[in-house]
Amino acid sequence: MKKLFMALMLVWLAAPGRALDPPADVKAGDTPNDEGSSITVNWGRSPQDQGDATAFQGYQILRSDNANGPFAEVGFVIGGKTDFRDNVEGHRSYFYRVRAVAGPDTSDPAAAGPAEATAQWFDSSRTNVMILTVILCFLIIWYIERAKKGEELFIRKIQGLDAVDEAVGRSTELGKPIMFSFGLGEIKDIVTVAALAILRQVAVRCAQHGTELLVPNWDPLVMAAAQETVQQAYSEPGRPDLYKEGNVSFLTSDQFGYAAGVDGMMLRQKPGAVFFMGYFYAEALLMSETGHSIGAIQIAGTTAITQLPFFIASCDYTLIGEEMLAASCYLKKDPQLLGSLKGEDFVKAFLIIGFALMAVWGTVGYILNNAGNPWMMNVFQAIKSWFMTG
Amino acid sequence: MKKEIPLAITFITGLIIIVTFFIPHQPLGTMQQRLLLWYSIVLGFTLLLGMDSLLRSNIQKIIRKSPGWPFALVLILGFLGTMAAGIYTWATSESLLSLGSSFMYVYTYFIIPLQATMFSLLAFFIASAAYRAFRARTLEATLLLITAALVMLGRVPIGAQISHWLPAGAEWIMEVPQMAAKRGIFIGVALGTIAMSLRVILGLERTYLT
């Protein structure tokens, strides 16, 4: 019995079907939409590539600049994958071979090439972004032009921004300073630029009332911009003498070190109002709860969605996402700036209608698809994939 | 000219960034990364500015004996101590991050525990903020309380023991109403960012130039 089993094993191992099959239909071509520095190699899975990583390891990719070799290994991808991106020199021909690898066995190589990497002048995968950006920019500029012609534009009330004067006034009455924090935002973050507009407004009011303004910073570049903004704002009502450079200072670039520094300043100097405007991470709640514990009026504004619930829980007013970005338009009431908000609102309305229509279309399409009529579902999937490309 | 030149630089740079997003061909393809590299270099130099600000304001506090000046003294001593440890490690070891070096000692036994202490405080602050947010004084706060209770119960093992509907319900709340609200804010932020960027590029928003 034992001999019979051994004989059967030998026959099975020697059978022609045991040989490892190479990947099928190997193709090498320029990687689309790149700067001309890579070639993408694609292939069909080897019949032995069945998803078992212990039995089938993957594919070995070899490259040469000559069809006859020598070929050198440039990469190895695990089983199940069917493409490889190879970084190469542009405008030079390359030949590829792909071999399947399963344990000690290696298949015959499957060849592809020649292929050449070339640069593209337009990233076609971003056509959707371009079209939507052009539409959005057109609408914003169009409304700005309408505003320039003197058209009256309505802007809804934003309580958090209306409360700026109240917060500064209360602090002044109590004889307490005001604190302003940008969080961990950098100057390249658009939300920090928006926060500078709010800082300017706060600083003007502080200068008018003679109230001390403290601006501890996490980023030295933001500190430099804040110093300029506050200095300029103090000059506007004719009180440049009240500006103290030391009040707009750098603390540290460490997240929790910054939170500890701000908390310490709050507990020692007891500001009457605290503004949290910019981008925040886990330090948001550490600072805003400390501000709440000292009884300060707190106004927060951020585009960091994860921190919004914390600010809503611990602050008196919170500017949610886009309200923060609209602050400069709201505070200045400049018609051109308001025009840009109007254009933004128009796109938002267009998107809301689009989403509602697509939701109805997708639901009906799903029902019809189950009834054997897939055309609506196909259209839905096509639109969805167009939006998701790039 | 004091305003026109910065506005022109902003306009041209903004335009380049937008155009390079759609054009992968050199030299535009890597322009965005290059500009970010320049930004990092500038940022490195501004750290000196930050250091100057930090030291100056704290030294002034010590000299004037302002309220809380001992904290300023601790900060200055900490700064000098860390810098001394860094210079000593740099002079005597292969790398600043060499295990057993004096700089790593400061990092491991001072900075990490201090960071961990601050982060740990978050748990207590979450509890106090949640207590205020979940007080059922209005209909909205009551709904928030019920929803939060369902989500919290659905995400711990005891929730599944009470009812198998709880984990499914918590998942539905997170995936449908919560996600819808979050995406609404995301879309608003994205549109607001585009509009704000356009205002900056077109020179309508000039706060950063003050």
Side-chain angles (χ1 to χ4, degrees), chain A residues 75-386:
Chain A
F76 187 90
V77 294
I78 55 167
K81 284 202 77 177
T82 56
D83 62 67
F84 174 74
R85 190 169 165 163
D86 185 25
N87 292 327
V88 293
E89 272 180 48
H91 300 294
R92 199 174 152 187
S93 292
Y94 291 97
F95 297 84
Y96 287 88
R97 287 186 177 176
V98 183
R99 288 200 293 222
V101 178
D105 299 327
T106 307
S107 74
D108 290 334
E116 199 175 281
T118 52
Q120 279 74 51
W121 279 104
F122 179 67
D123 186 344
S124 58
S125 68
R126 289 175 174 171
T127 310
N128 49 3
V129 182
M130 197 186 74
I131 291 171
L132 292 174
T133 308
V134 168
I135 292 171
L136 179 58
C137 292
F138 169 77
L139 283 167
I140 290 171
I141 293 168
W142 189 53
Y143 273 104
I144 289 172
E145 289 303 317
R146 280 178 63 174
K148 273 185 191 170
K149 288 174 188 163
E151 191 175 320
E152 188 89 8
L153 296 171
F154 168 78
I155 182 164
R156 72 176 167 86
K157 282 185 85 66
I158 301 177
Q159 281 188 328
L161 293 172
D162 288 338
V164 169
D165 290 349
E166 178 199 337
V168 178
R170 199 184 125 184
S171 270
T172 309
E173 282 171 15
L174 294 170
K176 291 181 172 182
I178 283 166
M179 184 178 270
F180 192 103
S181 168
F182 289 98
L184 305 193
E186 296 179 40
I187 197 73
K188 65 183 165 67
D189 298 329
I190 208 78
V191 68
T192 307
V193 178
L196 280 171
I198 301 171
L199 173 66
R200 188 187 154 279
Q201 177 79 2
V202 173
V204 168
R205 292 283 179 269
C206 284
Q208 285 168 342
H209 294 99
T211 312
E212 194 174 13
L213 176 62
L214 309 167
V215 189
N217 288 280
W218 171 84
D219 182 299
L221 258 184
V222 175
M223 178 200 73
Q227 282 176 342
E228 289 285 317
T229 304
V230 174
Q231 193 172 15
Q232 178 77 21
Y234 271 71
S235 303
E236 268 181 45
R239 299 301 305 271
D241 54 303
L242 289 178
Y243 171 68
K244 291 181 199 158
E245 196 182 302
N247 282 353
V248 186
S249 61
F250 175 73
L251 274 186
T252 169
S253 287
D254 179 83
Q255 182 185 18
F256 292 111
Y258 178 73
V262 171
D263 283 358
M265 284 173 75
M266 277 190 208
L267 293 170
R268 286 190 296 275
Q269 307 197 32
K270 301 263 186 306
V274 183
F275 293 85
F276 298 108
M277 300 284 168
Y279 206 86
F280 293 83
Y281 296 88
E283 75 289 348
L285 193 64
L286 292 174
M287 300 193 299
S288 56
E289 274 297 284
T290 308
H292 182 269
S293 73
I294 58 163
I297 287 190
Q298 298 198 103
I299 303 176
T302 185
T303 52
I305 290 176
T306 49
Q307 302 308 317
L308 275 171
F310 296 131
F311 277 143
I312 291 168
S314 55
C315 295
D316 299 279
Y317 301 96
T318 306
L319 303 175
I320 298 173
E322 58 181 325
E323 288 181 336
M324 173 81 199
L325 300 166
S328 62
C329 311
Y330 187 85
L331 294 170
K332 282 185 191 164
K333 297 277 190 304
D334 179 59
Q336 291 187 48
L337 293 174
L338 292 179
S340 71
L341 280 188
K342 189 87 176 170
E344 190 187 319
D345 283 348
F346 192 88
V347 177
K348 217 179 296 164
F350 173 76
L351 285 177
I352 290 168
I353 294 166
F355 288 149
L357 285 176
M358 284 305 291
V360 173
W361 185 284
T363 309
V364 175
Y366 181 77
I367 295 164
L368 287 179
N369 192 41
N370 285 347
N373 190 352
W375 78 271
M376 275 183 82
M377 200 61 194
N378 291 342
V379 172
F380 178 79
Q381 292 294 355
I383 295 172
K384 191 176 143 193
S385 67
W386 187 80

Side-chain angles (χ1 to χ4, degrees), chain B residues 63-172:
Chain B
I63 293 168
R64 289 178 192 158
K65 292 267 187 314
S66 306
W69 68 268
F71 294 107
L73 185 66
V74 171
L75 188 140
I76 299 284
L77 291 176
F79 178 87
L80 293 175
T82 310
M83 194 165 78
I87 292 170
Y88 179 74
T89 306
W90 174 70
T92 55
S93 305
E94 280 180 16
S95 157
L96 266 181
L97 304 177
S98 300
L99 289 174
S101 68
S102 50
F103 182 76
M104 276 309 279
Y105 183 86
V106 171
Y107 186 74
T108 312
Y109 297 107
F110 287 86
I111 298 175
I112 291 178
L114 286 169
Q115 285 177 330
T117 307
M118 283 306 290
F119 192 53
S120 309
L121 283 175
L122 205 55
F124 300 100
F125 284 137
I126 285 176
S128 63
Y131 171 73
R132 282 200 308 282
F134 296 156
R135 269 183 298 180
R137 291 187 302 191
T138 59
L139 177 65
E140 289 88 349
T142 313
L143 285 174
L144 192 67
L145 172 66
I146 295 166
T147 314
L150 286 175
V151 170
M152 284 189 281
L153 270 175
R155 296 203 154 191
V156 289
I158 200 169
Q161 296 290 321
I162 295 167
S163 164
H164 70 279
W165 289 104
L166 273 172
E171 201 57 31
W172 182 84

